[in-house]
Amino acid sequence: MTRYLFEYEVPSTGKTATFSWIGKSEEEARAAVHAKVADFEFMELSDIVVGKVLEAKETTGNQYYECEGCSA
């Protein structure tokens, strides 16, 4: 599995930011990021443009990732 860091844009507001996701492929991660960003931004999928991959890191199994809603 690989963690992909994508840039994204909300054209209607001009906002640009980044969001990452772990997936088996870039396409799988891109689709998940698209849906999650639309949810976080309270926008429709058509209002979000997921851009290029800024970074791709292989996961090694000894890394800690905090999921949405999880905190200690």
Side-chain angles (χ1 to χ4, degrees), residues 24-56:
K24 293 178 183 176
S25 67
E26 180 182 331
E27 294 77 24
E28 178 184 294
R30 182 179 295 277
V33 164
H34 196 194
K36 191 55 88 173
V37 167
D39 186 43
F40 282 151
E41 297 288 345
F42 300 105
M43 301 290 227
E44 297 294 323
L45 286 173
S46 60
D47 295 329
I48 305 296
V49 177
V50 179
K52 65 181 177 180
V53 174
L54 301 175
E55 187 174 18

Side-chain angles (χ1 to χ4, degrees), residues 3-71:
R3 177 171 288 278
Y4 296 92
L5 176 65
F6 295 93
E7 65 179 2
Y8 73 89
E9 180 182 2
V10 183
S12 61
T13 64
K15 178 180 180 178
T16 59
T18 61
F19 200 91
S20 67
W21 199 265
I22 293 176
K24 293 178 183 176
S25 67
E26 180 182 331
E27 294 77 24
E28 178 184 294
R30 182 179 295 277
V33 164
H34 196 194
K36 191 55 88 173
V37 167
D39 186 43
F40 282 151
E41 297 288 345
F42 300 105
M43 301 290 227
E44 297 294 323
L45 286 173
S46 60
D47 295 329
I48 305 296
V49 177
V50 179
K52 65 181 177 180
V53 174
L54 301 175
E55 187 174 18
K57 288 185 176 180
E58 290 298 319
T59 57
T60 61
N62 63 354
Q63 299 170 341
Y64 172 77
Y65 296 107
E66 189 171 302
C67 64
E68 176 186 348
C70 300
S71 62

